[in-house]
Amino acid sequence: MTKVQLRNLVQARSGDKGNTVNIAIFAPNKQLYDTLLLEVTPQRVKEHFSGLVKGEVIRYTLPNLYAMNFVCKDALSGGGSATMRLDNLGKCFASNLLRMEVEIDDSVDLPKS
């Protein structure tokens, strides 16, 4: 098993609406996607954003695209017009999630850097 940051494995995109952030990650192949289904759970995403995401994290899987979409509720201290936070947009959440470390079996095909 090898610990790897998600940034070395997937592509990601995020956005926000009100007080909710969504983060999508895209794996390059089915083998890696299947591994990430076990590693990148809603609980782990919520723990990764401890102190920022105060509500529920829901994961939607898109197996035909090797993708997952995480909807993080109560994540922006009320949303753009209500918060006192300077970073009140969800666009930075994707790059933050890419710092999460996951354990990957050595037999899994990893993307070339």
Side-chain angles (χ1 to χ4, degrees), residues 18-19 51-52 54 74-85 87-88:
N19 197 22
L52 292 176
K54 296 186 168 93
D74 196 7
L76 296 170
S77 298
S81 60
T83 185
M84 295 297 286
R85 283 177 35 189
D87 61 337
N88 58 6

Side-chain angles (χ1 to χ4, degrees), residues 24-108:
I25 62 172
F26 304 87
N29 60 57
K30 181 173 177 14
Q31 186 184 31
L32 183 55
Y33 175 72
D34 289 342
T35 300
L36 293 176
L37 284 173
L38 301 173
E39 286 287 314
V40 188
T41 63
Q43 296 79 15
R44 289 215 46 219
V45 170
K46 184 168 173 113
E47 287 170 13
H48 183 75
F49 289 108
S50 177
L52 292 176
V53 175
K54 296 186 168 93
E56 180 182 19
V57 175
I58 304 164
R59 177 177 74 178
Y60 296 94
T61 59
L62 296 97
N64 291 343
L65 299 175
Y66 308 142
M68 293 176 236
N69 188 39
F70 295 89
V71 176
C72 306
K73 299 189 176 197
D74 196 7
L76 296 170
S77 298
S81 60
T83 185
M84 295 297 286
R85 283 177 35 189
L86 294 175
D87 61 337
N88 58 6
L89 299 175
K91 297 183 186 321
C92 63
F93 275 65
S95 58
N96 187 324
L97 183 61
L98 291 177
R99 291 194 296 263
M100 177 190 279
E101 287 189 338
V102 294
E103 288 193 4
I104 303 295
D105 189 274
D106 294 332
S107 67
V108 174

